[in-house]
Amino acid sequence: MDDSAKRLLQRLMRRIPTPTLRSALEKWGRLTTEQQKSMDFTQSKWALTERLLGICEVNSAIFSEIQINVNQGMWYAFQLMDPEDDAKSVDLTQFKEQFKSHLRELVRNVSIKMKKHTDEAVWIRIAWGDTFSRPNHLKPTYIVHYLQTPYVFVTSITSKQKPLLSQALVLSTRYQAIKDANLSGRKLTAIRDLLMKKYQQVFPTKYPIPPPENNQTISNQHIEKEQAELAANRLQMACEAFGGGMLPQLQSAVYKLETKFRDHSNKTMTEREEPFRCVVKFTSTNLLESFRHCASSGIASTPVTPLLSCIPLKGRNYFLITDNGPGPSSQRGQPQV
Amino acid sequence: MTLQPPKSNTSATTSGCFHLKQRNVHYSTQHKYSQNMEVATTKGVLSHLSRLEVQKRSLKSQPQQPGGVKALRATVEALLTQRDQLRAEIQTHKNIKKLRVSMDKQCTNEEEETEEGMDEDSENSNLLRLMARHTQLKDLLHAHNVVGGYNVVKTRQGKGVCVSVATFYEGVYLNTYNLEIDVKPTVRISRHNVPPFIPLNNLAEQSNMQTDLRTLLDPLSQHLNAFAGRQQQFKFVKELHKSVEVMESNVLCSLLVLKFTVPREKTAVLCSLDYTDCTRSLPTRVHFESDGRICLVQKFPRLYITCHLADAFIKRDL
């Protein structure tokens, strides 16, 4: 391990708060169980760092993933557009070579590390530098891409770096363009599962899904009898809109509205020329689960409004909604981008 | 003195032509008689008598006329029976239609088993019921052919359908993929759980789905089943042959590079499988490399291209 790497590891260790150190190292997963056990967490951080350096010398590990656990950054999804004919035969070696060569053409002094994980995901770690400075390993950009799919997931990238990365990605994957997929979240697995359709979806079939088993005693048999069918319908519609089982954990959904102010008693506002702008933001620890529960319990009316159901349908959580045209627009206008 | 033809006769003759053809003979004689009567008055009685004689002889030389009566009678009989047959068929069809309506209702409400009370005798009603069931099954078969054997469920009060495409490999059912399709106003896919590496949008654009949904569903099923087959083969190779090392793979399972050692020579061989045709679960190209050289073992490529991956590995070991 060279000196710069050692210094980097030391700085990283200093950044991790002591209480979370053990779990951070566990999540990193680069230490074997014996090595993990051999770390005495009652020691001072400096001693632990030295111990870790020693272990890493032995392992010569790439410590790309440790950064993910240190700062809970936001992941953003991008979509590649218009594949060329040979896009589906791009193999890993070709992708690696092409990406590195294209990015190095655009940026001097950039450190690129690429690794393939067992779930076919290609992880790319880029430390950006420029003509005058060396690559900054403390603020790297991470990119995750699955070959032969059009999606790319990126975290920790500045607006200046984005076009450079976009060009390198487009050229190396043999597509023609890349655009913002308007989906972001703290958990990579969540946005990945949403776009790759890896979660359980519910479709209308001949047999409705069974209602969840609730252990609570039924308070009133008559209410239960009347409401059972309605509750089952609501549950079916809620699951069709959002999914069944465990849902990908999104944290927020943002709707930017550009509409006209409508209140006849307030002339000043209605006579304004510019559109009336407002932002509606939903936040939750598990947004889709909350929406599904709203629909199944009756808080939100069913059938679920397309404004909410298009989050999993289109795989995005940022919407710009404009009026459909002149005249009164419907309360639940179709999202138009 | 002029012999006036009897008035009743003339009226009979003129009206006689609208009667059935049996009266034909009678009409013609009547007509000729009246004509002859007029002629007789102009040309003389003897010439008239000779004419009558000729007429009688000519009448004798038409023997088919009485036979014609029989043939015509037979035609009438045949037409009458045909009419009765058609009437009976119409009645049967009406009864079957009634039965079908009640049968189709029975199929949707499976709890109710109402018996349609038929007033006819039991044998007749059983036969009718059988015939109705036959038409019902024929319709079902036709509908099944139209949708290509895929499971289809009506949604949104008939404005949409949900199609299920099943995948299987070697007799084992694997994942089922669903597509929710709007039928009105245009045919359009609204929701699906097909993974993004299957080119669904391309297939939809290239298909003729407005008129024939199968032009989309059949190629899609091909792609999905081929993918499921490749995925299963890959899984089997990894599970059954622990000595095989996976050097490269992708989510579509279309580019695989495996490393294994030839048992006798103990040399490492790199095997690259290229599945360029995504509608097939057999590779289009197999490439072997050992110590940087391309293997001269000729029999291996054929083995890999004709039979499936896991089987090929078993055969290689033998």
Side-chain angles (χ1 to χ4, degrees):
Chain A
M1 244 168 80
D2 61 344
D3 283 330
S4 62
K6 272 195 196 152
R7 264 183 271 124
L8 179 57
L9 186 60
Q10 280 162 341
R11 281 161 93 172
L12 276 173
M13 286 292 283
R14 270 202 290 271
R15 272 195 174 182
I16 304 172
T18 324
T20 61
L21 191 56
R22 180 184 233 143
S23 56
L25 284 172
E26 265 172 29
K27 269 194 214 159
W28 188 39
R30 287 282 154 198
L31 308 173
T32 63
T33 30
E34 300 90 48
Q35 285 167 341
Q36 188 90 11
K37 276 187 200 155
S38 70
M39 300 276 289
D40 184 2
F41 288 94
T42 55
Q43 287 180 310
S44 68
K45 211 187 234 188
W46 182 86
L48 282 170
T49 312
E50 289 296 304
R51 179 91 190 91
L52 189 62
L53 275 171
I55 294 171
C56 286
E57 292 268 17
V58 176
N59 291 352
S60 312
I62 308 170
F63 38 87
S64 35
E65 294 97 87
I66 206 171
Q67 190 100 5
I68 313 295
N69 303 311
V70 171
N71 56 339
Q72 290 254 295
M74 287 289 279
W75 285 88
Y76 299 90
F78 292 88
Q79 187 174 355
L80 296 157
M81 313 284 290
D82 306 320
E84 306 273 5
D85 292 329
D86 53 347
K88 62 177 180 131
S89 54
V90 169
D91 66 350
L92 183 64
T93 335
Q94 182 188 345
F95 175 61
K96 274 182 173 174
E97 283 167 8
Q98 291 285 302
F99 183 79
K100 282 183 182 166
S101 74
H102 281 121
L103 195 59
R104 289 211 168 101
E105 270 175 45
L106 297 165
V107 188
R108 302 258 177 106
N109 268 334
V110 64
S111 155
I112 309 169
K113 282 196 164 56
M114 299 173 81
K115 189 167 191 268
K116 181 105 173 291
H117 284 198
T118 44
D119 65 344
E120 320 295 355
V122 182
W123 280 70
I124 309 172
R125 181 182 183 274
I126 303 176
W128 305 86
D130 55 31
T131 346
F132 306 108
S133 58
R134 296 188 51 204
N136 183 358
H137 284 276
L138 284 173
K139 291 202 180 110
T141 301
Y142 291 95
I143 298 131
V144 177
H145 175 57
Y146 292 79
L147 289 173
Q148 277 79 50
T149 66
Y151 301 113
V152 182
F153 307 99
V154 186
T155 185
S156 312
I157 193 164
T158 66
S159 49
K160 277 177 79 177
Q161 295 158 349
K162 208 185 276 188
L164 306 167
L165 176 66
S166 305
Q167 179 154 338
L169 277 169
V170 165
L171 292 169
S172 53
T173 53
R174 305 289 296 137
Y175 278 75
Q176 287 182 32
I178 189 169
K179 70 161 191 183
D180 197 342
N182 289 317
L183 179 66
S184 61
R186 289 202 183 279
K187 287 200 157 191
L188 170 65
T189 47
I191 59 173
R192 179 203 65 193
D193 288 348
L194 200 63
L195 286 174
M196 307 275 272
K197 302 205 192 288
K198 273 200 182 142
Y199 63 101
Q200 183 199 2
Q201 282 176 270
V202 174
F203 286 88
T205 55
K206 220 171 154 186
Y207 309 103
I209 48 169
E213 297 179 12
N214 44 354
N215 299 324
Q216 52 199 182
T217 51
I218 299 160
S219 54
N220 191 335
Q221 288 285 351
H222 295 296
I223 296 175
E224 184 61 36
K225 191 173 155 194
E226 289 299 316
Q227 293 294 320
E229 197 183 327
L230 293 169
N233 279 344
R234 280 199 303 264
L235 182 64
Q236 177 76 16
M237 284 196 271
C239 287
E240 278 182 28
F242 297 107
M246 293 283 289
L247 297 178
Q249 262 186 310
L250 291 181
Q251 289 81 33
S252 66
V254 173
Y255 296 84
K256 279 208 165 139
L257 290 113
E258 281 186 12
T259 178
K260 292 204 78 61
F261 194 88
R262 254 170 278 280
D263 183 3
H264 294 294
S265 57
N266 193 338
K267 286 284 178 202
T268 29
M269 290 299 282
T270 42
E271 279 165 9
R272 279 165 66 116
E273 280 300 317
E274 312 95 62
F276 183 72
R277 291 194 172 89
C278 61
V279 175
V280 179
K281 184 170 182 180
F282 295 93
T283 47
S284 164
T285 43
N286 191 341
L287 190 69
L288 293 176
E289 178 69 50
S290 318
F291 282 148
R292 184 175 66 179
H293 189 259
C294 279
S296 64
S297 60
I299 298 168
S301 61
T302 46
V304 180
T305 164
L307 281 169
L308 293 179
S309 61
C310 63
I311 297 174
L313 180 69
K314 301 221 170 111
R316 48 188 296 184
N317 62 355
Y318 177 82
F319 300 93
L320 181 65
I321 304 172
T322 55
D323 278 346
N324 284 342
S329 79
S330 59
Q331 284 299 316
R332 316 184 311 173
Q334 282 297 322
Q336 284 185 354
V337 186
Chain B
M1 148 186 144
T2 57
L3 271 172
Q4 291 288 340
K7 278 206 170 79
S8 58
N9 268 353
T10 35
S11 62
T13 52
T14 47
S15 61
C17 67
F18 295 109
H19 285 319
L20 286 175
K21 290 180 190 159
Q22 286 111 310
R23 307 277 172 83
N24 221 358
V25 174
H26 183 58
Y27 157 69
S28 53
T29 43
Q30 288 284 351
H31 186 61
K32 282 184 179 136
Y33 176 73
S34 59
Q35 273 182 341
N36 291 336
M37 288 309 287
E38 284 162 11
V39 163
T41 53
T42 51
K43 295 251 173 95
V45 179
L46 277 175
S47 59
H48 175 65
L49 278 169
S50 66
R51 220 168 274 121
L52 277 173
E53 209 173 354
V54 166
Q55 207 182 345
K56 191 184 170 204
R57 255 185 248 125
S58 69
L59 272 176
K60 269 194 184 148
S61 69
Q62 288 177 32
Q64 72 268 31
Q65 277 188 358
V69 174
K70 268 195 193 150
L72 289 164
R73 281 213 176 101
T75 324
V76 166
E77 284 300 317
L79 283 170
L80 280 172
T81 41
Q82 199 180 13
R83 183 198 65 178
D84 291 334
Q85 218 173 24
L86 284 169
R87 275 194 184 153
E89 270 182 40
I90 289 173
Q91 189 56 38
T92 324
H93 271 286
K94 278 191 186 155
N95 290 339
I96 289 178
K97 208 173 168 184
K98 255 196 286 179
L99 259 178
R100 268 298 299 277
V101 168
S102 74
M103 261 187 171
D104 290 342
K105 273 207 200 117
Q106 263 185 32
C107 277
T108 48
N109 323 336
E110 268 145 326
E111 303 97 51
E112 304 172 33
E113 285 281 332
T114 52
E115 279 277 316
E116 265 283 318
M118 300 292 288
D119 291 331
E120 289 117 272
D121 55 276
S122 62
E123 205 186 288
N124 208 1
S125 68
N126 273 341
L127 186 63
L128 275 174
R129 200 161 285 142
L130 267 175
M131 290 172 76
R133 183 89 181 115
H134 174 76
T135 57
Q136 195 184 39
L137 288 171
K138 270 174 72 177
D139 285 347
L140 258 178
L141 199 64
H142 178 67
H144 202 249
N145 273 337
V146 164
V147 296
Y150 302 105
N151 255 340
V152 181
V153 170
K154 261 198 292 191
T155 59
R156 307 201 306 140
Q157 287 99 33
K159 284 189 282 183
V161 287
C162 181
V163 185
S164 299
V165 179
T167 56
F168 38 82
Y169 178 66
E170 289 196 338
V172 177
Y173 269 92
L174 302 166
N175 281 333
T176 309
Y177 298 96
N178 297 284
L179 297 131
E180 259 199 80
I181 299 174
D182 293 338
V183 176
K184 292 177 183 154
T186 52
V187 180
R188 187 185 75 96
I189 302 173
S190 64
R191 192 161 80 94
H192 64 88
N193 64 346
V194 175
F197 43 81
I198 305 285
L200 178 61
N201 287 333
N202 277 356
L203 290 174
E205 276 169 36
Q206 288 163 16
S207 77
N208 198 11
M209 64 185 204
Q210 299 297 327
T211 43
D212 186 2
L213 200 56
R214 284 190 64 179
T215 52
L216 165 66
L217 295 176
D218 288 347
L220 179 65
S221 174
Q222 247 186 331
H223 270 90
L224 288 169
N225 273 291
F227 163 65
R230 295 195 298 267
Q231 201 181 38
Q232 278 296 90
Q233 289 175 58
F234 187 43
K235 190 174 132 191
F236 286 155
V237 166
K238 284 192 286 190
E239 281 174 9
L240 299 174
H241 299 270
K242 300 279 196 242
S243 59
V244 172
E245 211 181 306
V246 179
M247 305 303 289
E248 203 180 305
S249 58
N250 64 345
V251 270
L252 185 51
C253 287
S254 61
L255 300 158
L256 298 173
V257 179
L258 308 164
K259 190 169 94 168
F260 59 89
T261 45
V262 179
R264 278 176 285 273
E265 287 109 70
K266 303 267 196 251
T267 47
V269 180
L270 213 62
C271 166
S272 312
L273 297 136
D274 207 351
Y275 298 81
T276 13
D277 187 357
C278 288
T279 58
R280 300 190 68 220
S281 57
L282 291 171
T284 36
R285 202 180 70 98
V286 182
H287 185 91
F288 288 88
E289 215 178 287
S290 174
D291 299 330
R293 298 179 289 109
I294 298 169
C295 273
L296 296 172
V297 184
Q298 288 298 321
K299 61 177 180 197
F300 276 152
R302 249 182 298 132
L303 196 68
Y304 286 80
I305 288 171
T306 51
C307 69
H308 289 164
L309 199 56
D311 302 334
F313 271 95
I314 295 168
K315 289 198 173 109
R316 170 207 53 110
D317 281 334
L318 291 168

